[in-house]
PDB file of all heavy atoms in Angstrom:
ATOM      1  N   ALA Q 430      11.035 -45.057  37.686  1.00 75.00           N
ATOM      2  CA  ALA Q 430      12.032 -44.722  36.668  1.00 75.00           C
ATOM      3  C   ALA Q 430      13.394 -44.489  37.317  1.00 75.00           C
ATOM      4  O   ALA Q 430      13.468 -44.018  38.451  1.00 75.00           O
ATOM      5  CB  ALA Q 430      11.625 -43.456  35.920  1.00 75.00           C
ATOM      6  N   PRO Q 431      14.470 -44.788  36.573  1.00 76.00           N
ATOM      7  CA  PRO Q 431      15.800 -44.454  37.076  1.00 76.00           C
ATOM      8  C   PRO Q 431      16.053 -42.943  36.962  1.00 76.00           C
ATOM      9  O   PRO Q 431      15.450 -42.256  36.139  1.00 76.00           O
ATOM     10  CB  PRO Q 431      16.744 -45.232  36.160  1.00 76.00           C
ATOM     11  CG  PRO Q 431      15.952 -45.549  34.946  1.00 76.00           C
ATOM     12  CD  PRO Q 431      14.511 -45.558  35.340  1.00 76.00           C
ATOM     13  N   ALA Q 432      16.943 -42.439  37.788  1.00 74.00           N
ATOM     14  CA  ALA Q 432      17.259 -41.014  37.830  1.00 74.00           C
ATOM     15  C   ALA Q 432      17.712 -40.489  36.469  1.00 74.00           C
ATOM     16  O   ALA Q 432      17.295 -39.402  36.035  1.00 74.00           O
ATOM     17  CB  ALA Q 432      18.326 -40.752  38.885  1.00 74.00           C
ATOM     18  N   GLU Q 433      18.551 -41.231  35.799  1.00 78.00           N
ATOM     19  CA  GLU Q 433      19.066 -40.780  34.499  1.00 78.00           C
ATOM     20  C   GLU Q 433      17.933 -40.581  33.492  1.00 78.00           C
ATOM     21  O   GLU Q 433      17.930 -39.633  32.711  1.00 78.00           O
ATOM     22  CB  GLU Q 433      20.089 -41.777  33.961  1.00 78.00           C
ATOM     23  CG  GLU Q 433      20.715 -41.339  32.659  1.00 78.00           C
ATOM     24  CD  GLU Q 433      21.772 -42.316  32.169  1.00 78.00           C
ATOM     25  OE1 GLU Q 433      22.253 -43.149  32.952  1.00 78.00           O
ATOM     26  OE2 GLU Q 433      22.106 -42.244  30.980  1.00 78.00           O
ATOM     27  N   TYR Q 434      16.964 -41.473  33.512  1.00 76.00           N
ATOM     28  CA  TYR Q 434      15.818 -41.360  32.609  1.00 76.00           C
ATOM     29  C   TYR Q 434      15.039 -40.078  32.888  1.00 76.00           C
ATOM     30  O   TYR Q 434      14.655 -39.360  31.969  1.00 76.00           O
ATOM     31  CB  TYR Q 434      14.901 -42.573  32.763  1.00 76.00           C
ATOM     32  CG  TYR Q 434      13.671 -42.522  31.901  1.00 76.00           C
ATOM     33  CD1 TYR Q 434      13.758 -42.753  30.532  1.00 76.00           C
ATOM     34  CD2 TYR Q 434      12.428 -42.236  32.447  1.00 76.00           C
ATOM     35  CE1 TYR Q 434      12.632 -42.700  29.735  1.00 76.00           C
ATOM     36  CE2 TYR Q 434      11.297 -42.182  31.658  1.00 76.00           C
ATOM     37  CZ  TYR Q 434      11.400 -42.412  30.303  1.00 76.00           C
ATOM     38  OH  TYR Q 434      10.283 -42.352  29.516  1.00 76.00           O
ATOM     39  N   ARG Q 435      14.822 -39.770  34.148  1.00 74.00           N
ATOM     40  CA  ARG Q 435      14.092 -38.558  34.508  1.00 74.00           C
ATOM     41  C   ARG Q 435      14.815 -37.306  34.015  1.00 74.00           C
ATOM     42  O   ARG Q 435      14.190 -36.390  33.484  1.00 74.00           O
ATOM     43  CB  ARG Q 435      13.889 -38.505  36.024  1.00 74.00           C
ATOM     44  CG  ARG Q 435      12.879 -39.508  36.509  1.00 74.00           C
ATOM     45  CD  ARG Q 435      12.669 -39.354  38.003  1.00 74.00           C
ATOM     46  NE  ARG Q 435      11.441 -39.996  38.370  1.00 74.00           N
ATOM     47  CZ  ARG Q 435      11.339 -40.913  39.315  1.00 74.00           C
ATOM     48  NH1 ARG Q 435      12.394 -41.282  40.007  1.00 74.00           N
ATOM     49  NH2 ARG Q 435      10.178 -41.451  39.589  1.00 74.00           N
ATOM     50  N   SER Q 436      16.122 -37.255  34.190  1.00 70.00           N
ATOM     51  CA  SER Q 436      16.889 -36.101  33.713  1.00 70.00           C
ATOM     52  C   SER Q 436      16.795 -35.965  32.196  1.00 70.00           C
ATOM     53  O   SER Q 436      16.668 -34.871  31.662  1.00 70.00           O
ATOM     54  CB  SER Q 436      18.356 -36.230  34.127  1.00 70.00           C
ATOM     55  OG  SER Q 436      18.483 -36.110  35.511  1.00 70.00           O
ATOM     56  N   THR Q 437      16.850 -37.094  31.501  1.00 74.00           N
ATOM     57  CA  THR Q 437      16.791 -37.095  30.042  1.00 74.00           C
ATOM     58  C   THR Q 437      15.441 -36.613  29.527  1.00 74.00           C
ATOM     59  O   THR Q 437      15.366 -35.985  28.469  1.00 74.00           O
ATOM     60  CB  THR Q 437      17.100 -38.510  29.509  1.00 74.00           C
ATOM     61  OG1 THR Q 437      18.393 -38.884  29.965  1.00 74.00           O
ATOM     62  CG2 THR Q 437      17.066 -38.553  27.994  1.00 74.00           C
ATOM     63  N   CYS Q 438      14.370 -36.864  30.265  1.00 72.00           N
ATOM     64  CA  CYS Q 438      13.030 -36.452  29.827  1.00 72.00           C
ATOM     65  C   CYS Q 438      12.947 -34.962  29.559  1.00 72.00           C
ATOM     66  O   CYS Q 438      12.338 -34.536  28.576  1.00 72.00           O
ATOM     67  CB  CYS Q 438      11.987 -36.837  30.864  1.00 72.00           C
ATOM     68  SG  CYS Q 438      11.602 -38.585  30.872  1.00 72.00           S
ATOM     69  N   TYR Q 439      13.549 -34.139  30.412  1.00 64.00           N
ATOM     70  CA  TYR Q 439      13.451 -32.695  30.235  1.00 64.00           C
ATOM     71  C   TYR Q 439      14.106 -32.245  28.938  1.00 64.00           C
ATOM     72  O   TYR Q 439      13.580 -31.385  28.235  1.00 64.00           O
ATOM     73  CB  TYR Q 439      14.030 -31.962  31.450  1.00 64.00           C
ATOM     74  CG  TYR Q 439      13.138 -32.131  32.638  1.00 64.00           C
ATOM     75  CD1 TYR Q 439      13.538 -32.866  33.728  1.00 64.00           C
ATOM     76  CD2 TYR Q 439      11.859 -31.601  32.634  1.00 64.00           C
ATOM     77  CE1 TYR Q 439      12.692 -33.054  34.806  1.00 64.00           C
ATOM     78  CE2 TYR Q 439      11.009 -31.793  33.698  1.00 64.00           C
ATOM     79  CZ  TYR Q 439      11.430 -32.522  34.787  1.00 64.00           C
ATOM     80  OH  TYR Q 439      10.594 -32.716  35.837  1.00 64.00           O
ATOM     81  N   ARG Q 440      15.213 -32.831  28.606  1.00 63.00           N
ATOM     82  CA  ARG Q 440      15.883 -32.470  27.348  1.00 63.00           C
ATOM     83  C   ARG Q 440      15.027 -32.886  26.155  1.00 63.00           C
ATOM     84  O   ARG Q 440      14.863 -32.132  25.202  1.00 63.00           O
ATOM     85  CB  ARG Q 440      17.263 -33.085  27.279  1.00 63.00           C
ATOM     86  CG  ARG Q 440      18.189 -32.554  28.364  1.00 63.00           C
ATOM     87  CD  ARG Q 440      19.586 -33.114  28.225  1.00 63.00           C
ATOM     88  NE  ARG Q 440      20.201 -32.641  26.994  1.00 63.00           N
ATOM     89  CZ  ARG Q 440      20.712 -31.430  26.824  1.00 63.00           C
ATOM     90  NH1 ARG Q 440      20.694 -30.562  27.807  1.00 63.00           N
ATOM     91  NH2 ARG Q 440      21.253 -31.085  25.685  1.00 63.00           N
ATOM     92  N   SER Q 441      14.443 -34.071  26.201  1.00 68.00           N
ATOM     93  CA  SER Q 441      13.595 -34.551  25.106  1.00 68.00           C
ATOM     94  C   SER Q 441      12.358 -33.689  24.948  1.00 68.00           C
ATOM     95  O   SER Q 441      11.975 -33.335  23.838  1.00 68.00           O
ATOM     96  CB  SER Q 441      13.170 -35.996  25.354  1.00 68.00           C
ATOM     97  OG  SER Q 441      14.294 -36.826  25.407  1.00 68.00           O
ATOM     98  N   TRP Q 442      11.724 -33.350  26.056  1.00 63.00           N
ATOM     99  CA  TRP Q 442      10.535 -32.503  25.981  1.00 63.00           C
ATOM    100  C   TRP Q 442      10.862 -31.161  25.373  1.00 63.00           C
ATOM    101  O   TRP Q 442      10.086 -30.634  24.590  1.00 63.00           O
ATOM    102  CB  TRP Q 442       9.956 -32.286  27.364  1.00 63.00           C
ATOM    103  CG  TRP Q 442       9.144 -33.429  27.873  1.00 63.00           C
ATOM    104  CD1 TRP Q 442       8.708 -34.513  27.166  1.00 63.00           C
ATOM    105  CD2 TRP Q 442       8.666 -33.599  29.195  1.00 63.00           C
ATOM    106  NE1 TRP Q 442       7.993 -35.341  27.991  1.00 63.00           N
ATOM    107  CE2 TRP Q 442       7.951 -34.802  29.226  1.00 63.00           C
ATOM    108  CE3 TRP Q 442       8.781 -32.847  30.344  1.00 63.00           C
ATOM    109  CZ2 TRP Q 442       7.332 -35.271  30.374  1.00 63.00           C
ATOM    110  CZ3 TRP Q 442       8.176 -33.308  31.492  1.00 63.00           C
ATOM    111  CH2 TRP Q 442       7.456 -34.508  31.503  1.00 63.00           C
ATOM    112  N   SER Q 443      11.989 -30.602  25.719  1.00 58.00           N
ATOM    113  CA  SER Q 443      12.356 -29.297  25.183  1.00 58.00           C
ATOM    114  C   SER Q 443      12.430 -29.330  23.671  1.00 58.00           C
ATOM    115  O   SER Q 443      11.900 -28.465  22.991  1.00 58.00           O
ATOM    116  CB  SER Q 443      13.698 -28.841  25.749  1.00 58.00           C
ATOM    117  OG  SER Q 443      13.599 -28.678  27.132  1.00 58.00           O
ATOM    118  N   ALA Q 444      13.077 -30.338  23.150  1.00 55.00           N
ATOM    119  CA  ALA Q 444      13.228 -30.441  21.702  1.00 55.00           C
ATOM    120  C   ALA Q 444      11.907 -30.744  21.013  1.00 55.00           C
ATOM    121  O   ALA Q 444      11.598 -30.193  19.967  1.00 55.00           O
ATOM    122  CB  ALA Q 444      14.251 -31.529  21.369  1.00 55.00           C
ATOM    123  N   ALA Q 445      11.105 -31.610  21.606  1.00 54.00           N
ATOM    124  CA  ALA Q 445       9.888 -32.077  20.944  1.00 54.00           C
ATOM    125  C   ALA Q 445       8.689 -31.157  21.116  1.00 54.00           C
ATOM    126  O   ALA Q 445       7.852 -31.077  20.235  1.00 54.00           O
ATOM    127  CB  ALA Q 445       9.523 -33.466  21.466  1.00 54.00           C
ATOM    128  N   CYS Q 446       8.592 -30.473  22.241  1.00 51.00           N
ATOM    129  CA  CYS Q 446       7.358 -29.755  22.555  1.00 51.00           C
ATOM    130  C   CYS Q 446       7.490 -28.254  22.715  1.00 51.00           C
ATOM    131  O   CYS Q 446       6.644 -27.511  22.264  1.00 51.00           O
ATOM    132  CB  CYS Q 446       6.747 -30.314  23.840  1.00 51.00           C
ATOM    133  SG  CYS Q 446       6.332 -32.054  23.730  1.00 51.00           S
ATOM    134  N   SER Q 447       8.499 -27.788  23.390  1.00 51.00           N
ATOM    135  CA  SER Q 447       8.514 -26.404  23.831  1.00 51.00           C
ATOM    136  C   SER Q 447       8.560 -25.387  22.709  1.00 51.00           C
ATOM    137  O   SER Q 447       7.842 -24.408  22.747  1.00 51.00           O
ATOM    138  CB  SER Q 447       9.684 -26.166  24.780  1.00 51.00           C
ATOM    139  OG  SER Q 447       9.516 -26.948  25.926  1.00 51.00           O
ATOM    140  N   VAL Q 448       9.391 -25.599  21.723  1.00 50.00           N
ATOM    141  CA  VAL Q 448       9.514 -24.587  20.675  1.00 50.00           C
ATOM    142  C   VAL Q 448       8.192 -24.385  19.944  1.00 50.00           C
ATOM    143  O   VAL Q 448       7.644 -23.295  19.956  1.00 50.00           O
ATOM    144  CB  VAL Q 448      10.661 -24.924  19.695  1.00 50.00           C
ATOM    145  CG1 VAL Q 448      10.679 -23.946  18.548  1.00 50.00           C
ATOM    146  CG2 VAL Q 448      11.989 -24.902  20.426  1.00 50.00           C
ATOM    147  N   PRO Q 449       7.611 -25.410  19.318  1.00 50.00           N
ATOM    148  CA  PRO Q 449       6.371 -25.153  18.602  1.00 50.00           C
ATOM    149  C   PRO Q 449       5.188 -24.861  19.524  1.00 50.00           C
ATOM    150  O   PRO Q 449       4.352 -24.023  19.219  1.00 50.00           O
ATOM    151  CB  PRO Q 449       6.133 -26.443  17.814  1.00 50.00           C
ATOM    152  CG  PRO Q 449       6.909 -27.488  18.527  1.00 50.00           C
ATOM    153  CD  PRO Q 449       8.079 -26.773  19.149  1.00 50.00           C
ATOM    154  N   SER Q 450       5.110 -25.525  20.657  1.00 55.00           N
ATOM    155  CA  SER Q 450       3.945 -25.372  21.527  1.00 55.00           C
ATOM    156  C   SER Q 450       3.891 -24.004  22.176  1.00 55.00           C
ATOM    157  O   SER Q 450       2.851 -23.355  22.174  1.00 55.00           O
ATOM    158  CB  SER Q 450       3.953 -26.454  22.604  1.00 55.00           C
ATOM    159  OG  SER Q 450       3.858 -27.718  22.014  1.00 55.00           O
ATOM    160  N   LEU Q 451       4.990 -23.562  22.759  1.00 58.00           N
ATOM    161  CA  LEU Q 451       4.983 -22.264  23.426  1.00 58.00           C
ATOM    162  C   LEU Q 451       4.894 -21.114  22.436  1.00 58.00           C
ATOM    163  O   LEU Q 451       4.358 -20.066  22.751  1.00 58.00           O
ATOM    164  CB  LEU Q 451       6.229 -22.094  24.301  1.00 58.00           C
ATOM    165  CG  LEU Q 451       6.196 -22.855  25.620  1.00 58.00           C
ATOM    166  CD1 LEU Q 451       7.546 -22.747  26.312  1.00 58.00           C
ATOM    167  CD2 LEU Q 451       5.093 -22.346  26.528  1.00 58.00           C
TER     168      LEU Q 451
END
Side-chain angles (χ1 to χ4, degrees):
E433 183 178 343
Y434 178 74
R435 288 183 162 126
S436 292
T437 301
C438 285
Y439 289 112
R440 296 184 66 77
S441 298
W442 281 349
S443 297
C446 300
S447 297
V448 174
S450 298
L451 284 173

